[in-house]
Structure formats: C-alpha cells, structure tokens
Amino acid sequence: MQVRKQFPFAIFEPAWQRHWLEQSTFRAANPGEPGSEKPKYYALDMFPYPSGAGLHVGHPEGWIATDIISRQKRMKGFNVLHPMGWDAFGQPAENEAIKRKLNPREMVREFAATYKQQFDIVGLSYDWDREINSSDPNYYKWTQWLFLLLYQKGLAYRRNAPVNWCPVDKTVLANEEVVNGRCWRCDTVVQKRQMPQWFFKITAYADRLLNDLDGLNWPEGIRSMQRNWIGRSEGAEVDFVVEGREDKLRIFTTRPDTLWGATFMVLAPEHPLVKEIASESQRAAVDAYVLRAQHISDIDRLAEGKEKTGVWTGAYAVNPVNNSPVPIWIADYVLMGYGTGAIMAVPAHDQRDFEFAKKFDLPIVQVIDGGVAVEMEAYTGDGALINSGPLNGSPGGKEAAKKISQWLLEQGMGQPVVTFKLRDWLISRQRYWGAPIPIIHCPEHGEVPVHDADLPVKLPDVAHYEPSGTGEAPLATIPEFVNTACPVCGGPARRETDTMGGFACSSWYFLRFADPHNDSAPFSRESVDYWLPVDMYVGGAEHAVMHLLYARFWTKVLYDAGLVGFVEPFSTLRNQGMMLAYTPGRKPSHEDEAEETDGEPIEDWKVLRPEELATYPKDQIIYRWVKMSKSLRNVVTPDETAEKYGADALRVYEMFVAPFEETVQWSEDGIRGSAKFLQRVYRLTAQYVDGFSRIGWREKIERGLSDPEKALRRKTHQTIAKVTDDLESFRFNTSVAALMEWVNLMYEVSNALPKGRRSSALDEAIEYLIRLIAPYAPHLADELWEALGNDGFLYRNPWPISDANIAKADEITLIVQINGKVRDKMTAPADADNASIVALALASPRIRELLGGAEPKKVIPVAGKLVNIVI
RNA sequence: GGGGAAGUGGUGUAAUGGCAGCCACGCUAGUCUUAGGAACUAGUGCCGCAAGGCGUGGGGGUUCAAGUCCCCCCUUCCCCA
C-alpha cells in the first residue's frame, strides 16, 4: 500500500459501495434462514417522503446514527434488520406533483431513485431487498385491508362533522395537522366546514395510549408532548338549572372544589340555548354579539391578554350548591368545540374569569384561602376552602375536587367525569393521491366494505387529479371508478371517493418491513414475532404527536385483533437535532408588507434571493441561523460534502459536531478536522501494513513492553470500553473524541519508535482501531482491513472486547487540596487505601510548608482521587 | 399562561458531587532548501512580569468539596394554549 499525501477516499469509497451492493452484504436473514438463529436487532429510520427538493446535510444525521448502530450490532453478532422505504402517498407528494405538473406516480419513482443514490453515497447499509413504497398497490392493498379491520372493529366510522378545511390544499385536515390555526403544509389559515368524513376512533384507546407511555425508552419531551396531546383531565360535570325554565345547563369543570365561588356562567356564542334564554331586552345585543363572534378565528378568541368581550343574556341560572342566582353571559373566550360549550365562572381562581369579572363588574367570591385577598389576579394555587358551606376548612385541590364530584353525584347535581383533549383521528382526504377508502355505498345496504378478494381498490390512472375546490373528491368525477356493484346485492352502488391521509400508510410500514413481499397478508405473525418491536427508532421530533401516536394506536388495535404480540411498536426512540444554516437576509421592505395577505403574520426578516445577495448593500445584510431548507436557499447537500471531504468524513463529522439530539449550526470549518483525523488513521496504518501479522502481535504482546507501550495498551482497552458504552447510549460525539485521543497517543508511541521497528502494542491498537472505527467510517475500515491482508468485509468480524485488567490504571494522579483548592499533585498507586493516601498527602513538603505546623481540622480522603485538608 | 430542553474559552463542545475546559475548529510562533486551504512541533480560559488570583447566565443555599444537588431570578429554543 502506497502512502499518499491525500488519502484516496474518492477511489476506495465508491469501490466498497459497489462491493457491498453486489454481494448483498446487508441482507437481513428472515426467520428460518441461515443467520436467523442469531439474536435480532431492528434499527429503523422514519421513512421519508422522497421530495424533489433533495437532501441536505441535516437529513442524514439520523440515518448515519442508525447505520452506525446497525453496523456495530452486526459485528456484535446480531441479525440486523435495517430497511428503508418511501412514504410516497399524501399531500406533500401530490402538491409537489401538481406544482411541477407531473404524474405523482412517476415523480415519486424518480425522486426515490435519486434519494437511494444519495443514501448509497453516504454508505448507508440498508437491506434494499425490503424497499417498500406506500403508493404501490402491493402495499396499499394492505393499508386498505387494515382500514377494513378497523371498520369491522367499529374503529372506523363516517359522520357529518365540522372539520378543518384548508382552502389552498382544498382538503380537510386532522386536528394534528393544524398548527396554530394554520395548515401544517401550506401555512394557510384553516376554515371550519361541515362535511361527511371518515374517522378512526383513536379516543377509544386514549387511556392505553397514555398509560403505556411510561414503559417506553423515549425522550421525555416526546412522551410529555403525547401526554399533553391526549390531555386527560379529571373533573366533574355539573348541572345548573336556568331560572324560570326546565332546561339545565351542563358544564364541565376541572375544579369542582371551587363551585361555591361560581358567580356567573359563560356560554359560547354558538351554544344552542343562547337564542332561547336571551331576554327580550338583551336579545338585540346578544344577536349582534353572536354574529360578530362568527368572524373571529378560534386562535384570536383564545389569545392571551386580549381584552375580554361579552354580553349578558338577561337570564340567570342557579348555583346548585348554594342556590344563589348567577347571571348567564356569552363570551367568545368559551368555545363550543371544547367541553360542553359552557363554563361556570370562578373569577377568584381562574385568570380569564377574573379578567371578565373585572371588566363587567361581576362579583368575585374567594373560596380558596391563598393567604392573601384576590385583588389583582386570580389565585390558582392550593389552600383551605372558605365560603364553601359544609366544606369550609377542608383542603382544596385535587383530592377535594374528587370528593366534591362524588358528592355531586350523590346529590344528583352532577358526576365525576374524565375528559380527553384527544379527538378522533380524521382520516378522509378529498384528494387523489392516497389509498382509496375501500367502502361502497349501496342505496339498499348503506356502507358495505369491499371484499378482501377485491382488494386493492386501485387508484385509477388519470390525466387530471387536481382537487376540485368544491370539497368534492377528484375520484368522484371519474364514473368508471365511482360506479360499481354492491358486494351484498349486486345492485348499482357508488364507491367511496375519499382517500386516506398519508398517516394511515405510515402507521404500519414498520411491520411490513418484517415481511415485505407477503402477498397473502400484510405480514406473517412469524416475521413480526421475530423482528418486532423496533429496537431503535430514529427520526425528527416533529412527528411527536402525529405519526408516533397513530402508529402506537394501530399497533394496539392489531394486538387486540391477535395479529401481533406486542402493544408498543418502538421500544427506544431518539430524535436528531435540527440543522441550521447561517443565512443572509434583510429587513422586510414596504413592498413585502403590501404583498402580505390579510391575516398573515409579517416576518421581521426575509431571506435574500441569490440575485439580491450580489447587489444588496453589505452592511444591511442580516445573517441569522435558521433551519436549513430549500425554500430558504441555504442548503448544503451531503453529495457535495462527500465529494469534497469523503463520505466517511461527513459521517464522522456529523456525529462529532454536537450531541446527537442537539441543534447543529452547520459550518464546514470543523469537517476538515474529521477528514484530517481519518487521514491520520490511514497514514498510520499505511506505515505498518508491511509485515503486519494478526497472529504475530498476539504472540509477543505479553512480553517486554516499554512504559509508553503499556500506556498505549491501557488506552486501547479503555477506548474499546468507552466507544462500546457511548454507542449504547447514543453518545456519538464523545466516542469520536475518544477515538481521536487514542490515535493521537498511537502517533506519540509511533514517533518515539526507532525507524523500522514495530511494536506489538501498536499493532494491537491498529487492528482494534480499524474495527472500532468501522461503523463510523466503513469504507476506510474495509479498505484498511483488506490492506492488512484480510479477506472479506469487516462487519463479519467481531467487535473487540475490552480487557478490564489491561484497561485498569495502576497509577493515579493524587490531588491534594487545602480547603478545597488544589495545592499539590503526586502519583500514587491506583489501589492505595485512604490511610496511605492521607499519609502521602501529609508527607508532601509543599503541603507541610503551607500547613506551617498547624493541625488540620479535618482530612477527607477519597481513594483513587484526592485528599482534601481542611484547616 | 402551561409543559419540555438548554445557557461553560474567540467557536463547536467535554466533565459517576472530587484537578473546569477532554477532543476538535480557529488563532500565534516555529520546522520542512520554492509554494501551501499540505504535514509536523510548541503554545492558546481571563487578569498578572511573576507568585498568585479570578472564572461554568445572575443571586442565595446545602456540602470538606457544586458546571453538576436545592430555592429565587434572567435569557434562548421547542411544543401546547
């Protein structure tokens, strides 16, 4: 092997990628095949939508991490499933196809091919035999089959419902897809519409989805987001009688313990009773207010700090616990869609009620003693109940709330209830590019599921598929698709023309990877029993409450149906951090502000277009760290980076630059360090390739090592342990630092060696270095492994095991402190006990001088570390 | 407003309650008879000639010992309202 100035990654990286591909190196053994007797490991990336915007260096961070884990697990003797596929159905793909005036089917195929090529450039070790595409009929056949499974279990149903309508994407959205009142895809303000829609009854699993979170090895942040999204709250429903009427007003409250403090009620303007109870004198004001509220979005209605508005209806209700009359108001801060659309207002202990009471001069009665009078703001803390009749003196809070709900039940005034914020999952989309919902509407038999044998209901090939804008699905305009026969009576019937939102496809794809070619079932029980659950799942945190919740839900449904034997699909989850780019921009101009459509927020910063960048005054350019994305024109691609520095350098750098889950400010300044490190590995190895013998160093290693060689050997075994540990806990950055330290020491030992001499300790280090670095820099490792005279791929060779006896230091630096400040350092035997290190410390001339004969008040020895002398 | 994460050199970062700053970037000086976006050597938290002192967003506390644990406050990011 020639020692070159620049290590020739451009030659050997593509060569090894070719070898791996040609020999199906990373094919996972199915149950029953040779290799399946090994323990299994399933490392999964969230499957991407292959966008035409292509990849940037932020995308591969997670893929590199799972790849490193996969490669290491193979070396540790696991049968590793590491698959990849395409989340090809859904709005993102369809919108892009419309914009580019392409057929989505062909577009996705083309983009997926590009992605695949980019994966290969980074050296990712996927088992491409298992590639899946959610828009392939062989895949969505089973998505439809699973829809029918949910339908038969009563977990899929159709009803007329007010839904989130995106006027730009021309379809409805699930609650989870509405972000701050806007469409998650195009950022348009969503509208409310009444339409018949399909739902999955995820609410039936709310408690299980909540409880099972506890056992998962997931980031706490994601689990808490799911808990908040599910939003379980215990409270009570209380009935208030409307004075002079039969009607009862039912309210929900999480604070039944403050019932005595309810001094008025507030109804949502849309509440059905509003019209009936409004008094003659108030009617005009009420009608005007109701009309006005219709034009304000939910977001604005709930906005914090907004001046409260409202109108008295002229009616009174009766507080059931003390029979006081309470006026009934309407106000837009109460929403019809939440709870019962009516609240009891307790101004003393709820801030919004407090503001309302102040504004309209309503009575405020304090019922929880917070130590001070409620004057400037509501008191929401705990305390003893006051002004609460029979409950005076007992503590308020959760326990009291429970007791009072029970008491309300006994009195027939209400009952304890558990509510969830979680709503049923809206799955209908009035779009073309999705799996058709396999239901037929028959005039005689109503909704009829399509027979299994008739699946898949194929998406027809059409020239035009743009959404109509009327809310009617594009499929409805295709008679050949719509008109069909009823599976029950054979009479004329119409197919359902809504398609499923993309999250249906991604709710089970991790199961299909276990058995991707099965054409008689979505997957065999045997395959999922062997491969699932996923041992390591990695992706972006943006899927916290959508995909991850839906996939958990489907898994539980499948468990109940006996199709899988586990209740949680992803044992361990890790999220990579965001990738930011330093991006030139400018203040918005007046033209920009004029361009903004009404209701759009005005950004305080605009990215500079390339043509602007050249001419814009330098001193007015404002640089910011913002998310890397095509639309901000700040993308750095993995291909260009790999071409410049090598795929291995890119991999090592992305792992080294920051802790895995941290946000990264991308810059090329550091990557040269990673490339340099790999080059140092290459050159060091090249120096000792001639005459290297794996047997040779093992025979000699026990004899005649110099002190530096012994130190190197210690470092070798310490590093093996460190890297192994760090990989287990996803601390890639510190593991790379440990490898660098070790290589630096190897150079020291090597440079001190007489020319032409070799050292068995160095040979040992080199061999283990190549193995340890293999998951991070697989091309370089295979190249060096071969250069050392070995056959085959490195991943078939075992991961090194650290020898604890060798790793153990026999000497330590003993720190001697006086009053906690370091005053002396000395070497001491590593196993010296407390008594001997105290003796050593006190014997130090420097310490004796500083003590000046004074008797220490206290001496604290910490064996193996330090002695602290207190004077 | 609620929930979560975080704040350490010029920069990215590292530190089972036990020497703050490992590793890397950058920078400074030097070596290699040309050149340098190469390689190597040495140095590099701040103040100070030095001895030494000071230092982990701010303020308290616990401890022989606090970046780390507790309380209060400030700032940034993410999620939910």
Side-chain angles (χ1 to χ4, degrees):
Chain A
M1 187 162 125
Q2 285 258 300
V3 183
R4 293 168 216 236
K5 271 202 164 166
Q6 194 70 40
F7 78 125
F9 63 81
I11 298 166
F12 68 70
E13 284 185 353
W16 284 105
Q17 285 162 11
R18 226 170 16 249
H19 290 318
W20 296 333
L21 203 63
E22 279 163 8
Q23 309 205 14
S24 299
T25 307
F26 305 114
R27 206 181 157 278
N30 278 317
E33 291 178 354
S36 65
E37 70 289 348
K38 295 181 191 172
K40 70 93 183 180
Y41 192 87
Y42 188 176
L44 183 65
D45 298 300
M46 292 183 184
F47 76 154
Y49 154 61
S51 157
L55 299 178
H56 61 68
V57 287
H59 293 110
E61 190 185 355
W63 301 332
I64 293 168
T66 48
D67 193 63
I68 288 173
I69 299 292
S70 299
R71 287 174 180 271
Q72 189 228 11
K73 290 288 178 186
R74 290 188 191 103
M75 292 175 76
K76 285 185 112 175
F78 287 83
N79 182 23
V80 172
L81 177 57
H82 189 40
M84 182 44 83
W86 316 110
D87 189 12
F89 258 155
Q91 252 164 274
E94 186 173 343
N95 287 351
E96 191 168 0
I98 290 171
K99 216 166 104 191
R100 293 170 186 259
K101 300 197 183 346
L102 292 171
N103 177 314
R105 197 180 314 277
E106 284 156 24
M107 184 193 80
V108 162
R109 197 177 298 138
E110 192 188 311
F111 290 170
T114 310
Y115 260 50
K116 198 168 164 180
Q117 211 181 342
Q118 285 175 303
F119 286 137
D120 289 340
I121 287 172
V122 186
L124 301 177
S125 62
Y126 293 121
D127 176 359
W128 285 115
D129 289 352
R130 293 173 190 262
E131 178 177 355
I132 59 178
N133 175 334
S134 62
S135 67
D136 184 329
N138 292 325
Y139 182 87
Y140 70 73
K141 172 181 181 177
W142 300 111
T143 308
Q144 292 173 336
W145 188 89
L146 291 164
F147 177 97
L148 292 176
L149 176 76
L150 270 85
Y151 182 79
Q152 269 132 24
K153 301 266 171 204
L155 295 169
Y157 65 92
R158 190 173 187 244
R159 72 175 156 92
N160 212 15
V163 291
N164 308 300
W165 171 263
C166 173
V168 169
D169 283 344
K170 296 180 175 120
T171 186
V172 300
L173 302 170
N175 286 334
E176 291 83 348
E177 293 171 333
V178 179
V179 181
N180 290 329
R182 291 163 181 272
C183 173
W184 69 309
R185 274 295 154 193
C186 64
D187 210 33
T188 310
V189 176
V190 302
Q191 304 167 350
K192 289 278 173 197
R193 280 202 183 183
Q194 284 280 342
M195 296 170 93
Q197 300 291 326
W198 285 94
F199 290 88
F200 288 138
K201 205 170 187 173
I202 192 171
T203 51
Y205 283 71
D207 261 320
R208 286 165 69 183
L209 287 167
L210 184 67
N211 294 337
D212 290 350
L213 280 172
D214 293 341
L216 297 175
N217 181 2
W218 286 21
E220 187 45 45
I222 300 288
R223 291 196 295 171
S224 105
M225 275 187 237
Q226 291 216 350
R227 282 189 199 106
N228 288 339
W229 190 262
I230 294 166
R232 184 179 197 275
S233 66
E234 288 183 15
E237 283 178 353
V238 189
D239 291 327
F240 282 61
V241 176
V242 182
E243 257 186 8
R245 293 179 62 96
E246 295 290 294
D247 299 299
K248 282 182 176 174
L249 266 175
R250 168 157 292 191
I251 60 105
F252 171 75
T253 176
T254 55
R255 295 293 307 270
D257 53 322
T258 62
L259 197 44
W260 274 264
T263 52
F264 58 101
M265 298 185 74
V266 183
L267 307 188
E270 302 85 355
H271 196 285
L273 271 184
V274 168
K275 279 203 157 51
E276 299 184 28
I277 61 174
S279 71
E280 228 25 74
S281 57
Q282 288 297 99
R283 178 151 315 233
V286 166
D287 285 350
Y289 189 82
V290 168
L291 202 64
R292 226 194 65 185
Q294 282 174 356
H295 296 287
I296 306 175
S297 74
D298 287 2
I299 299 299
D300 290 337
R301 283 171 62 166
L302 293 172
E304 195 77 23
K306 195 195 73 150
E307 182 82 5
K308 293 280 177 291
T309 62
V311 173
W312 181 40
T313 59
Y316 287 92
V318 179
N319 186 330
V321 290
N322 55 14
N323 291 320
S324 334
V326 291
I328 305 173
W329 286 64
I330 59 172
D332 63 8
Y333 77 94
V334 176
L335 299 180
M336 198 56 221
Y338 191 74
T340 59
I343 63 159
M344 66 173 199
V346 184
H349 305 292
D350 179 281
Q351 187 58 25
R352 288 182 305 178
D353 297 347
F354 180 84
E355 285 164 19
F356 196 84
K358 280 281 179 197
K359 170 96 189 266
F360 296 103
D361 209 18
L362 294 159
I364 297 174
V365 174
Q366 187 166 0
V367 292
I368 292 188
D369 186 5
V372 285
V374 172
E375 271 166 11
M376 295 310 293
E377 56 176 19
Y379 175 74
T380 52
D382 288 341
L385 291 171
I386 52 173
N387 299 325
S388 295
L391 294 170
N392 277 340
S394 54
K398 271 216 165 100
E399 281 311 303
K402 258 187 199 160
K403 245 191 276 172
I404 293 173
S405 327
Q406 200 52 43
W407 180 79
L408 284 168
L409 182 64
E410 286 156 18
Q411 304 297 310
M413 296 175 197
Q415 59 189 330
V417 286
V418 174
T419 60
F420 293 92
K421 212 181 92 193
L422 184 69
R423 297 281 162 262
D424 276 343
W425 167 14
L426 174 72
I427 193 63
S428 281
R429 294 294 180 276
Q430 289 71 48
R431 296 293 295 247
Y432 168 73
W433 193 238
I437 291 175
I439 293 286
I440 291 168
H441 300 283
C442 169
E444 285 297 310
H445 298 94
E447 282 168 12
V448 184
V450 172
H451 284 313
D452 283 3
D454 296 330
L455 294 178
V457 176
K458 276 205 185 172
L459 200 56
D461 269 317
V462 289
H464 295 286
Y465 53 86
E466 287 80 359
S468 64
T470 60
E472 192 182 43
L475 291 179
T477 63
I478 305 169
E480 310 86 81
F481 178 82
V482 175
N483 297 320
T484 188
C486 169
V488 179
C489 63
R494 289 174 58 85
R495 280 194 195 280
E496 172 62 54
T497 54
D498 283 355
T499 54
M500 285 183 248
F503 284 115
C505 311
S506 55
S507 292
W508 74 283
Y509 78 103
F510 46 93
L511 297 162
R512 184 67 175 174
F513 276 134
D515 194 10
H517 307 296
N518 195 327
D519 54 12
S520 59
F523 45 81
S524 72
R525 178 71 196 249
E526 188 197 10
S527 324
V528 293
D529 277 351
Y530 178 78
W531 285 116
L532 276 284
V534 173
D535 296 283
M536 177 60 72
Y537 196 34
V538 174
E542 67 273 15
H543 291 107
V545 285
M546 296 198 267
H547 162 58
L548 287 172
L549 195 61
Y550 298 149
R552 293 182 59 223
F553 164 52
W554 275 39
T555 300
K556 289 176 195 303
V557 173
L558 294 175
Y559 174 83
D560 291 349
L563 291 172
V564 303
F566 50 91
V567 294
E568 284 292 337
F570 314 120
S571 313
T572 301
L573 174 76
R574 293 290 178 264
N575 303 117
Q576 79 251 33
M578 252 196 302
M579 188 66 74
L580 308 182
Y582 200 53
T583 308
R586 57 168 170 83
K587 281 196 187 137
S589 62
H590 294 294
E591 294 90 79
D592 295 325
E593 289 182 28
E595 269 175 40
E596 299 280 1
T597 52
D598 44 354
E600 298 278 334
I602 293 167
E603 302 283 339
D604 66 341
W605 181 85
K606 291 259 172 197
V607 68
L608 279 174
R609 293 188 293 272
E611 65 274 17
E612 286 177 309
L613 187 57
T615 57
Y616 208 74
K618 289 272 175 293
D619 57 341
Q620 285 177 45
I621 297 177
I622 306 162
Y623 278 87
R624 278 197 187 172
W625 285 105
V626 293
K627 199 173 171 178
M628 199 178 273
S629 86
K630 190 86 170 179
S631 61
L632 295 171
R633 297 177 186 85
N634 57 9
V635 163
V636 180
T637 69
D639 339 12
E640 63 184 295
T641 312
E643 197 188 324
K644 234 159 129 184
Y645 303 97
D648 286 338
L650 173 66
R651 294 168 62 107
V652 169
Y653 180 59
E654 291 216 9
M655 294 300 103
F656 178 63
V657 67
F660 180 71
E661 61 285 356
E662 216 88 317
T663 299
V664 173
Q665 302 180 340
W666 181 263
S667 107
E668 285 205 1
D669 291 345
I671 194 170
R672 208 168 293 122
S674 298
K676 193 166 114 183
F677 165 62
L678 295 177
Q679 189 168 336
R680 278 162 67 79
V681 170
Y682 182 87
R683 277 213 318 265
L684 183 75
T685 308
Q687 214 179 316
Y688 293 97
V689 157
D690 290 334
F692 184 90
S693 162
R694 283 171 63 190
I695 299 162
W697 70 255
R698 283 179 168 79
E699 281 170 347
K700 289 184 215 133
I701 192 91
E702 298 297 340
R703 310 190 295 264
L705 291 181
S706 66
D707 282 350
E709 285 177 312
K710 278 185 194 154
L712 174 60
R713 208 163 181 233
R714 192 178 312 128
K715 187 76 170 175
T716 297
H717 286 265
Q718 285 170 348
T719 307
I720 294 169
K722 166 84 175 154
V723 171
T724 308
D725 272 9
D726 280 356
L727 281 182
E728 212 57 52
S729 45
F730 251 57
R731 288 193 306 249
F732 300 101
N733 57 328
T734 52
S735 65
V736 174
L739 290 169
M740 288 173 168
E741 274 183 59
W742 182 32
V743 171
N744 289 345
L745 186 60
M746 287 185 212
Y747 264 92
E748 268 179 49
V749 170
S750 172
N751 290 342
L753 226 49
K755 226 179 156 57
R757 275 273 297 280
R758 62 186 320 129
S759 149
S760 52
L762 194 53
D763 284 349
E764 176 190 38
I766 287 168
E767 182 183 328
Y768 286 153
L769 170 64
I770 293 168
R771 292 178 192 234
L772 286 189
I773 214 171
Y776 302 83
H779 312 85
L780 175 68
D782 264 352
E783 178 76 4
L784 295 177
W785 187 246
E786 193 185 64
L788 288 188
N790 299 294
D791 279 337
F793 302 111
L794 196 46
Y795 89 96
R796 297 210 180 94
N797 285 276
W799 186 253
I801 293 166
S802 167
D803 184 329
N805 282 325
I806 302 169
K808 205 173 67 192
D810 42 25
E811 278 183 341
I812 55 143
T813 303
L814 181 70
I815 305 299
V816 186
Q817 298 177 328
I818 293 177
N819 288 343
K821 289 191 192 294
V822 180
R823 289 297 182 233
D824 200 10
K825 299 180 185 188
M826 57 191 71
T827 53
D831 53 2
D833 61 11
N834 282 345
S836 30
I837 58 173
V838 168
L840 269 172
L842 293 176
S844 150
R846 183 166 154 72
I847 295 300
R848 288 163 70 138
E849 188 191 322
L850 286 165
L851 288 179
E855 193 59 25
K857 272 193 210 146
K858 208 168 171 186
V859 178
I860 295 132
V862 182
K865 291 223 168 70
L866 57 74
V867 176
N868 190 9
I869 300 164
V870 185
I871 55 172

